[in-house]
Amino acid sequence: MVSSSVPKSVTIIGASVGGLTLGLALKKHGIQSRFFERRSPDQDLGGGMSLTPNSLRVLESIGAFSRIKPQGYDCESFTFMTDPEHEITGKLYFGQKDVYGYDCLRVTRKVIIRELTEMAKEAGIDIQYGKKFTKVVHEDSNGIEFEFADGTREKDEMLIGADGIHSRVRSCIFPDVHPHYSGIIGLTFCFPRANWKHLDATFPLPCSLRGEQGSWIITPQTEGGNEIFMGRQLKYEQEDRSAWDALLNDKQAMIDIIQRDPHAWSPLVQSAQAQVSTPEAHFLNVWPFYTLRMDSWHSPAGRVVIIGDAAHAVPPAAGQGANQAFESSYSLALLLASLNEKDSLPEALKEWEAYRMQRLDEVIRLTNRVMTLRMTEEERASMPDEMIWELDGNDAGKSQLGWLFLADIDHDVRNLVENLRERNR
């Protein structure tokens, strides 16, 4: 296999949100991709995402925004409140059309993956399911050979791992790197909004309710906000992957944790808390909060790259995990499409990583500060003063998150490539 430094063919491991976005963005710039996904095409990963203006701009750029928006719920801000008093302590804007160009869109993961998958098929991008990647067989400056669990091997000019927090692709090029468990989990479920009889029409949603036992996040989602997503953040002892899987498969154990302290909450929260044991409840899930910070996301020859949670896991407190996967995928596609035969692929990837990591450092700082807003008073008392964040009135976030929501990725990548070439002259 003979290849230039500029890949024209790419294999992506993992056909989820980040990988599919990458494939569509590459196709837009004339680079063909194909996918191998270990799951079946009908597996529903469940849950929802809060898509903020930075990722919605990416979705619009690849033509997906108009397909996804009608199937979600528009909102501007999260209202932070105490429970049981329901005293408003502030608002944080996760979108506002007049300021950021878009409202925040709450939509299920199933909708996003379905629409992006359909777009990939329409674009002639091949997706093979039931294929479990196992190892890199050989890599050099011309390309990559890799193997699957069934013993079959494939070759391509480039291999990109978009295979999640426990990435097998990452383990091949960085075997000593492992995600760090934060000591906190999220337990989530969904139920029909019509079933929540205690909800007053004027109650501010989405919201975060903080009480003595932690916090609940409550937000409408799906078209018309007809579904309620509810989750709680709490400390939980370290478990290995098999134990997490066991908990995930033990529905009653998760229900017991969610309902373990009803009398610590207001009647409003209790009525929502009780919905988890009703027949209409669905998407019951446990979400260990992992972090991952790496110094590099690519192999020495630059023919293997990891993106999304495989490269940079972000806890969900500020809703930026998936949003940053969109950014990384789109910016990597722009980078690869911008290279010419004189450019060094490993050097370009190194510059792209530095740009993305600087941005992710800021996202992590924001995430940690939002996480303190949901801690109990006891937990907050143990945090350093610089970590504690108090929202400044009802307009917090209307302007202070412009650095996040108004980023011009096209401009940033264009400058990155220009600066790289200028230094190499």
Side-chain angles (χ1 to χ4, degrees):
M1 178 173 55
V2 179
S3 173
S4 71
S5 63
V6 184
K8 295 301 179 187
S9 176
V10 171
T11 292
I12 302 171
I13 305 298
S16 191
V17 172
L20 290 165
T21 299
L22 175 63
L24 290 166
L26 288 170
K27 183 71 175 184
K28 180 180 175 181
H29 295 286
I31 300 176
Q32 186 64 37
S33 64
R34 59 175 175 167
F35 286 87
F36 293 99
E37 168 59 61
R38 67 179 178 86
R39 298 183 177 92
S40 64
D42 57 352
Q43 182 170 349
D44 186 356
L45 298 178
M49 296 179 180
S50 295
L51 301 182
T52 49
N54 46 326
S55 64
L56 294 175
R57 197 167 288 108
V58 167
L59 286 169
E60 184 138 53
S61 295
I62 62 173
F65 176 67
S66 61
R67 298 173 64 140
I68 292 172
K69 185 182 185 302
Q71 302 177 70
Y73 173 76
D74 284 326
C75 59
E76 290 186 348
S77 63
F78 262 75
T79 301
F80 288 81
M81 309 170 68
T82 61
D83 191 81
E85 303 86 1
H86 296 164
E87 176 187 352
I88 295 177
T89 58
K91 288 187 177 183
L92 187 62
Y93 282 75
F94 286 99
Q96 191 183 35
K97 191 170 184 179
D98 292 344
V99 179
Y100 301 124
Y102 303 86
D103 292 328
C104 178
L105 182 69
R106 182 72 190 181
V107 64
T108 63
R109 183 184 296 267
K110 180 179 181 179
V111 164
I112 301 170
I113 293 177
R114 182 182 66 227
E115 294 299 334
L116 295 181
T117 299
E118 285 301 313
M119 289 181 66
K121 291 178 180 177
E122 292 164 8
I125 299 173
D126 181 47
I127 305 176
Q128 295 188 40
Y129 293 94
K131 295 284 286 186
K132 184 179 179 180
F133 170 87
T134 54
K135 65 180 180 180
V136 170
V137 177
H138 177 73
E139 179 193 11
D140 57 30
S141 59
N142 292 319
I144 182 85
E145 183 179 9
F146 46 97
E147 187 173 293
F148 296 93
D150 59 9
T152 58
R153 292 185 175 182
E154 297 282 347
K155 294 180 179 180
D156 211 331
E157 296 180 35
M158 196 169 189
L159 178 73
I160 299 177
D163 50 342
I165 185 67
H166 300 294
S167 168
R168 180 61 187 166
V169 177
R170 182 187 66 233
S171 68
C172 290
I173 55 175
F174 301 107
D176 298 325
V177 174
H178 305 283
H180 172 71
Y181 174 56
S182 67
I184 297 174
I185 63 169
L187 282 162
T188 64
F189 65 99
C190 300
F191 62 92
R193 184 171 183 164
N195 288 8
W196 194 5
K197 304 303 183 184
H198 285 74
L199 179 65
D200 187 282
T202 62
F203 192 81
L205 293 176
C207 71
S208 179
L209 288 164
R210 188 180 77 204
E212 292 182 358
Q213 299 299 316
S215 288
W216 288 97
I217 294 93
I218 306 174
T219 178
Q221 62 183 24
T222 71
E223 184 179 358
N226 293 323
E227 181 174 274
I228 293 291
F229 169 92
M230 187 165 180
R232 70 181 306 176
Q233 166 187 310
L234 66 157
K235 289 185 175 181
Y236 202 85
E237 291 185 9
Q238 172 75 52
E239 300 278 7
D240 58 24
R241 286 189 67 186
S242 62
W244 290 130
D245 290 341
L247 178 58
L248 183 60
N249 291 318
D250 190 340
K251 181 178 179 181
Q252 189 57 51
M254 288 193 287
I255 289 175
D256 289 344
I257 295 172
I258 288 172
Q259 294 186 327
R260 69 184 185 181
D261 54 0
H263 299 298
W265 302 96
S266 65
L268 176 75
V269 174
Q270 289 181 39
S271 64
Q273 197 176 8
Q275 291 293 325
V276 70
S277 57
T278 64
E280 293 84 5
H282 55 286
F283 292 153
L284 183 59
N285 193 24
V286 58
W287 190 347
F289 290 4
Y290 284 101
T291 58
L292 183 65
R293 179 66 165 88
M294 302 175 62
D295 296 327
S296 176
W297 301 333
H298 71 277
S299 60
R303 294 293 164 176
V304 184
V305 181
I306 52 175
I307 60 170
D309 280 353
H312 49 75
V314 179
Q320 281 301 304
N323 288 285
Q324 290 306 304
F326 281 111
E327 284 195 20
S328 287
S329 297
Y330 183 70
S331 60
L332 178 58
L334 288 178
L335 177 78
L336 297 178
S338 300
L339 300 181
N340 62 37
E341 301 300 329
K342 296 180 180 180
D343 295 320
S344 163
L345 179 59
E347 189 176 356
L349 288 170
K350 187 176 180 180
E351 292 297 314
W352 168 73
E353 289 166 354
Y355 154 66
R356 288 295 302 143
M357 288 177 187
Q358 182 179 14
R359 186 157 168 78
L360 280 158
D361 285 344
E362 293 296 322
V363 168
I364 291 292
R365 276 191 281 273
L366 171 66
T367 297
N368 289 337
R369 296 179 81 186
V370 173
M371 198 175 296
T372 68
L373 294 172
R374 295 180 176 141
M375 290 180 175
T376 65
E377 289 301 328
E378 181 181 355
E379 291 169 340
R380 284 162 64 88
S382 67
M383 300 296 294
D385 290 343
E386 63 270 17
M387 284 287 294
I388 300 300
W389 200 19
E390 299 292 350
L391 294 179
D392 184 17
N394 288 336
D395 291 338
K398 278 189 177 179
S399 59
Q400 70 188 86
L401 293 181
W403 65 269
L404 177 60
F405 297 152
L406 294 174
D408 187 339
I409 298 175
D410 294 74
H411 175 269
D412 292 343
V413 173
R414 186 165 54 249
N415 278 355
L416 184 157
V417 174
E418 289 175 357
N419 292 337
L420 178 64
R421 289 172 181 163
E422 184 66 30
R423 288 199 304 272
N424 290 334
R425 281 177 185 164

